[in-house]
Amino acid sequence: MYPKSADAVKNPVYLKPSQFFCGSATTEHPEVVADVINFLVTSVEANQILKGERGTPVSASVLEVLKTDLSDTERVSYDFIDEVAKIATPVDPPSPGGASEVTQVMADYMEQVRYGLVSPEAAAQAVFQEANDILSSTN
């Protein structure tokens, strides 16, 4: 865990899943999608097969069963997650659609500033304009 000062207001750590499961809003089979996700998250059988391959299970009941058959290395990992969970803050919300494009725009302009092709002020103005265009068209 990250160190923090004695007067820190909150801990600089959160737990985030190694993967997010999702299904399309336009699927013809929403019940099947929900059943598959539910199976992967809550089924002891599925998680015994996966053995934490996709991260420490989030389901407390699955976790309790899996903890009975862990290797020493797996136990250290699960114990660490338990300790972090005691002090973790809520995970940040997902980035909006287009966020990776905005990041690329910023990187492109930073490169241009480094080589003197554009002033920092002009780059900042262009980044804000392009970022607004990207974010307004994807959300």
Side-chain angles (χ1 to χ4, degrees), residues 53-132:
E53 177 182 287
R54 304 195 186 292
T56 305
V58 68
S59 166
S61 59
V62 170
L63 207 53
E64 287 309 308
V65 172
L66 292 186
K67 280 184 173 182
T68 63
D69 190 31
L70 295 175
S71 70
D72 290 342
T73 304
E74 291 166 333
R75 185 164 311 286
V76 168
S77 176
Y78 279 52
D79 288 347
F80 177 74
I81 296 295
D82 287 344
E83 288 302 309
V84 172
K86 292 176 186 175
I87 58 123
T89 59
V91 66
D92 292 337
S95 299
S100 60
E101 291 175 65
V102 171
T103 300
Q104 186 59 55
V105 166
M106 289 173 49
D108 291 346
Y109 278 103
M110 283 190 288
E111 193 74 9
Q112 291 179 40
V113 168
R114 283 188 192 114
Y115 287 102
L117 301 174
V118 65
S119 72
E121 295 80 11
Q125 186 175 9
V127 167
F128 275 101
Q129 181 60 53
E130 290 185 40
N132 283 328

Side-chain angles (χ1 to χ4, degrees), residues 39-55 57 62 65-66 69-70 74 78:
F39 177 73
L40 290 171
V41 173
T42 64
S43 165
V44 170
E45 177 188 5
N47 282 277
Q48 284 174 322
I49 293 167
L50 291 171
K51 292 193 170 282
E53 177 182 287
R54 304 195 186 292
V62 170
V65 172
L66 292 186
D69 190 31
L70 295 175
E74 291 166 333
Y78 279 52

